[in-house]
Amino acid sequence: MSDRWYEKAVIYCLDIDTFVDSDGDGVGDIRGLIGRLDYLARLGVTCLWLNPIHPTPNRDDGYDVEDFYNVDPRFGNLGDFAELLHQAENRGIKVIIDLVVNHTSDQHPWFQSARSSPDSPYRDWYVWSDTQPPDRHQGMVFPGEQNETWTYDRTAKQWYYHRFYKFQPDLNIKNPQVREEIKKICAFWLQLGVAGFRMDAVPFIIEETEPGNPQSPKDLAFLTDLRQHIQWRKGDAVLLAEANVEPDQLKEFFGDGGGSSNRIHMLFDFMLNGRLMLALARHDPEQIIDALRDTPALPDGGQWATFLRNHDEVDLSRLTAEQRNDVFAQFGPDEDMQLYGRGIRRRLAPMLGGDRRRIELAYALQFSLRGTPVLRYGEEIGMGDDLTQKGRDAIRTPMQWSSLPNGGFSAAAPEDLVRPVVSDPKYGYETVNVTLQRHDPSSLLSWFERMIRTLREAPEVGSGTCKHVDVPVPPGVLVHRADDTTGTMVFIHNLGPDDGVVDLSSLEPEAQFPNDILADREYPDPGKLDALPIAGYGYRWIRLCRKP
């Protein structure tokens, strides 16, 4: 069994500003987060992923950074952050932070200097063009909110490139000084004690932008250099990357052509995520089966990160138009539920109509598939969304801790909150909160705790193989297995509403006292595996055998 910690982790993603406010100013902070580490430890979290923590004008939820070597004063200071790392380590929780180095804020001192004079030492830290590039209106990440990727700066008297918003000028990765600065940023936070980085927009970080060339080359060798740098600084540090690229390009982000894993440790599995959503929408596992079969073999040490909901929209851009429309019809039928023509800006619970059976099924399925599961804050209690908020902010509402005003998130006046707390009758904080579910052993929160504890007893899922079991099954049923030196698990998930019976007697010769370790209800003992009942939207995790 591998001893790479990230292969057996449970990652929990949160924004500090919407988690817990300790000082009553309406904004979540580090001291508030420290006070809830025991909650995360009880849930079973082993790795905490923090969305941007740096000082920022905050025009893009913190992704417009103006100082990479500090903490946003709204959250606290570096001393508070060091204490967070210490207290998290005491509870066996590692902390990774967002590394947002594709661009800076236009308020960053580097850019202010760069635009001030052609002789500025920072001029070449950004990407400029003397003339208007012909691809000015191509490559926008946020269609409908952006209308260009090149903007003219009157002070600099040049055009500057920005893959994202115009207030986020791109750094010039071709400049060796920029590369060294990125490595220096990583070294700083590793020295402070973080366990690694979630790298934002990696394909754009390594893009060597050329004006007029929408297919500018990418320097993957920089990822090799960065990986070597961080591992010399901290041997078990991890890079978790966002790289939503074509399937045939994915392996290049894990390692070079030599077959070693010498670049990114983990990639978010966007291909699987889209197919998971399609399978849930159609009540048909065929897309998941295809995903498992089509997954490229990863180099030793390479790992997928699985997710259902992340901090952005549900990105369906890898699906066909017909497939995307099927998902929209089921989970985001109204235009204000959709975003950028490609995604859904809702949380999972309302997408599934608040149906507890389907919510459990979806997360039982995600957590049993190959890779490391990532869970967005609030999903464990079935939080809802606020579609009155703009864009992605619909799912970035304050955590709902109790029935106290503001859901126990903050003692501030409601108008002073960083964002309003969800308050509708079905998903509002008075109905959905941690305290209520803590006192209910049948709550979704209690289920998540039990499911994650069970996962920790099945290391095959994180570090072993994951294969579809190709046997005749009722419509809507998926059977897959996970194998490792520790043993074998078999999983049955019914994506449809109708009950069924599955015959897995072909696996009986491998079995050693098979038994359910997690299920949606009490089922008869598996016996000879020849007649395994499964309820509509049901699931069964069966320990087939354990090896010493």
Side-chain angles (χ1 to χ4, degrees):
M1 182 177 68
S2 168
D3 61 357
R4 298 181 181 95
W5 67 264
Y6 58 90
E7 293 185 346
K8 297 182 288 293
V10 174
I11 301 175
Y12 190 90
C13 167
L14 62 85
D15 301 281
I16 291 178
D17 61 354
T18 55
F19 203 58
V20 192
D21 170 22
S22 71
D23 58 11
D25 66 352
V27 180
D29 47 52
I30 295 171
R31 296 189 65 81
L33 173 55
I34 291 172
R36 295 293 182 169
L37 288 174
D38 288 325
Y39 166 81
L40 298 178
R42 175 170 172 170
L43 180 59
V45 172
T46 61
C47 179
L48 186 57
W49 159 27
L50 302 178
N51 291 144
I53 63 172
H54 305 304
T56 172
N58 207 30
R59 298 179 68 185
D60 184 24
D61 204 38
Y63 286 89
D64 47 332
V65 176
E66 64 178 8
D67 180 1
F68 289 102
Y69 295 101
N70 216 327
V71 170
D72 192 314
R74 298 179 306 152
F75 304 157
N77 55 40
L78 282 174
D80 295 322
F81 189 75
E83 182 66 12
L84 169 65
L85 296 177
H86 173 70
Q87 294 297 341
E89 182 180 23
N90 285 346
R91 292 161 177 82
I93 299 175
K94 297 180 182 291
V95 178
I96 63 176
I97 63 173
D98 262 342
L99 181 66
V100 189
V101 290
N102 165 246
H103 52 253
T104 69
S105 165
D106 60 3
Q107 300 305 303
H108 197 292
W110 300 343
F111 187 72
Q112 290 299 310
S113 173
R115 68 194 291 263
S116 68
S117 167
D119 300 322
S120 165
Y122 293 102
R123 184 69 158 211
D124 194 42
W125 282 44
Y126 294 87
V127 183
W128 302 92
S129 176
D130 291 328
T131 59
Q132 177 177 321
D135 59 343
R136 173 187 171 190
H137 298 291
Q138 297 180 35
M140 285 82 72
V141 174
F142 304 129
E145 295 182 13
Q146 284 177 272
N147 55 22
E148 61 183 7
T149 52
W150 290 89
T151 293
Y152 187 73
D153 185 88
R154 289 187 173 86
T155 301
K157 296 182 175 58
Q158 283 186 307
W159 297 81
Y160 68 88
Y161 182 68
H162 52 91
R163 174 64 80 164
F164 292 83
Y165 296 111
K166 67 179 181 180
F167 53 80
Q168 294 168 319
D170 273 31
L171 287 165
N172 179 14
I173 197 65
K174 288 193 285 189
N175 186 334
Q177 291 178 300
V178 170
R179 294 173 182 239
E180 289 305 307
E181 190 69 25
I182 292 172
K183 289 156 68 175
K184 182 180 171 184
I185 292 166
C186 291
F188 175 84
W189 293 101
L190 289 172
Q191 190 68 33
L192 205 59
V194 303
F197 306 93
R198 175 265 182 184
M199 294 183 68
D200 184 60
V202 171
F204 302 144
I205 293 176
I206 60 174
E207 185 176 43
E208 297 183 328
T209 305
E210 301 170 346
N213 182 6
Q215 301 298 325
S216 296
K218 293 178 171 59
D219 186 3
L220 287 151
F222 175 65
L223 298 179
T224 308
D225 188 29
L226 184 63
R227 162 75 174 265
Q228 185 179 46
H229 176 75
I230 72 158
Q231 301 235 244
W232 273 109
R233 292 302 178 99
K234 187 172 185 177
D236 66 347
V238 164
L239 295 174
L240 167 60
E242 177 189 58
N244 192 357
V245 298
E246 295 298 328
D248 60 351
Q249 300 175 21
L250 287 170
K251 290 183 67 173
E252 296 179 347
F253 286 84
F254 284 108
D256 58 29
S260 63
S261 178
N262 60 356
R263 290 175 181 163
I264 301 298
H265 300 80
M266 305 175 69
L267 285 181
F268 286 104
D269 198 341
F270 284 96
M271 290 298 297
L272 178 62
N273 178 252
R275 294 186 184 189
L276 265 172
M277 287 299 170
L278 181 59
L280 292 171
R282 290 179 170 178
H283 309 284
D284 183 351
E286 196 62 37
Q287 290 292 324
I288 302 172
I289 295 170
D290 289 345
L292 294 179
R293 287 174 174 165
D294 296 345
T295 299
L298 302 185
D300 188 35
Q303 179 81 339
W304 298 109
T306 67
F307 61 100
L308 288 175
R309 287 303 289 113
N310 61 7
H311 60 299
D312 295 331
E313 73 278 7
V314 178
D315 189 343
L316 307 173
S317 59
R318 296 287 165 192
L319 301 181
T320 67
E322 179 186 359
Q323 293 170 337
R324 194 159 47 246
N325 287 336
D326 284 351
V327 181
F328 280 149
Q330 288 294 316
F331 299 146
D334 300 336
E335 190 172 340
D336 72 336
M337 298 174 177
Q338 302 170 16
L339 198 61
Y340 311 132
R342 68 176 184 234
I344 298 174
R345 63 187 198 105
R346 307 178 74 193
R347 280 190 179 262
L348 192 75
M351 284 169 61
L352 297 177
D355 188 330
R356 172 68 179 276
R357 300 173 304 159
R358 298 188 71 188
I359 295 170
E360 284 189 19
L361 167 70
Y363 278 107
L365 179 55
Q366 180 213 337
F367 276 60
S368 68
L369 292 170
R370 81 285 188 277
T372 299
V374 181
L375 182 67
R376 177 71 170 161
Y377 81 94
E379 289 293 298
E380 72 275 16
I381 59 172
M383 271 178 58
D385 41 51
D386 183 354
L387 295 176
T388 67
Q389 298 296 301
K390 64 180 181 64
R392 295 168 165 180
D393 288 351
I395 64 163
R396 297 171 177 174
T397 57
M399 181 67 176
Q400 296 165 199
W401 293 104
S402 70
S403 301
L404 291 171
N406 302 325
F409 160 71
S410 172
E415 62 269 19
D416 293 332
L417 297 185
V418 61
R419 287 188 198 95
V421 181
V422 174
S423 57
D424 66 68
K426 188 169 184 178
Y427 298 102
Y429 67 87
E430 293 178 324
T431 306
V432 177
N433 66 62
V434 170
T435 302
L436 283 175
Q437 296 195 21
R438 172 67 70 233
H439 294 287
D440 180 1
S442 64
S443 68
L444 184 61
L445 175 60
S446 297
W447 177 84
F448 259 101
E449 292 176 351
R450 187 167 64 254
M451 186 266 288
I452 292 174
R453 284 198 305 270
T454 304
L455 178 72
R456 300 302 304 281
E457 295 175 357
E460 301 88 354
V461 176
S463 56
T465 61
C466 179
K467 295 180 180 178
H468 168 236
V469 178
D470 191 3
V471 295
V473 292
V477 173
L478 170 69
V479 181
H480 70 283
R481 61 186 288 167
D483 296 271
D484 201 3
T485 55
T486 53
T488 298
M489 294 284 299
V490 175
F491 306 93
I492 306 173
H493 293 88
N494 188 354
L495 280 62
D498 300 323
D499 296 353
V501 177
V502 178
D503 181 356
L504 294 182
S505 57
S506 59
L507 303 182
E508 199 271 338
E510 304 177 51
Q512 300 171 2
F513 190 65
N515 62 100
D516 286 296
I517 62 172
L518 184 75
D520 64 295
R521 62 185 62 186
E522 287 292 330
Y523 288 105
D525 288 340
K528 295 183 178 181
L529 307 174
D530 56 346
L532 299 171
I534 183 73
Y537 302 127
Y539 54 89
R540 297 180 69 171
W541 292 12
I542 300 173
R543 164 64 68 185
L544 195 65
C545 67
R546 186 181 295 279
K547 299 175 183 177

